[in-house]
């Protein structure tokens, strides 16, 4: 599986577990909602700095985005 898809699927899973919409997460991270959508769909290649920004409102360590999918 493409690493971007793995990161995207893990981002979506953690975002939903946190009860956040794409828009709410985007506002917390100061990015556009469509960028969050692109990361979740695996079409964007986020930097490690952005992954860190995305992880903070989710209350997770950024390494969790790289975990194998169930």
């Amino acid at each position: 599986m493409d690493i971007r898809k793995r990161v995207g699927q893990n981002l979506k899973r953690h975002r939903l577990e946190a009860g956040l919409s794409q828009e709410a997460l985007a506002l917390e991270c100061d990015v556009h909602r469509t960028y969050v959508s692109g990361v979740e769909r695996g079409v964007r290649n986020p930097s490690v700095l952005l992954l860190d920004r995305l992880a903070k409102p989710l209350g997770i360590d950024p390494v969790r985005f790289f975990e194998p999918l169930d």
Side-chain angles (χ1 to χ4, degrees):
M1 171 181 284
D2 185 306
I3 191 69
R4 291 172 297 182
K5 293 217 183 273
R6 179 185 292 188
V7 168
Q9 289 178 3
N10 280 319
L11 170 60
K12 183 175 182 176
R13 178 172 54 91
H14 289 295
R15 178 180 61 76
L16 293 174
E17 287 173 0
L20 293 173
S21 66
Q22 287 180 345
E23 186 169 3
L25 179 59
L27 286 171
E28 288 283 328
C29 299
D30 195 30
V31 297
H32 199 275
R33 185 204 56 82
T34 59
Y35 193 86
V36 173
S37 173
V39 174
E40 287 187 358
R41 289 181 288 119
V43 298
R44 293 281 189 169
N45 189 18
S47 70
V48 294
L49 295 175
L50 181 63
L51 291 176
D52 185 56
R53 283 174 36 203
L54 290 168
K56 284 184 176 149
L58 299 176
I60 63 170
D61 190 293
V63 74
R64 306 272 318 265
F65 293 131
F66 298 96
E67 292 177 337
L69 302 169
D70 298 334

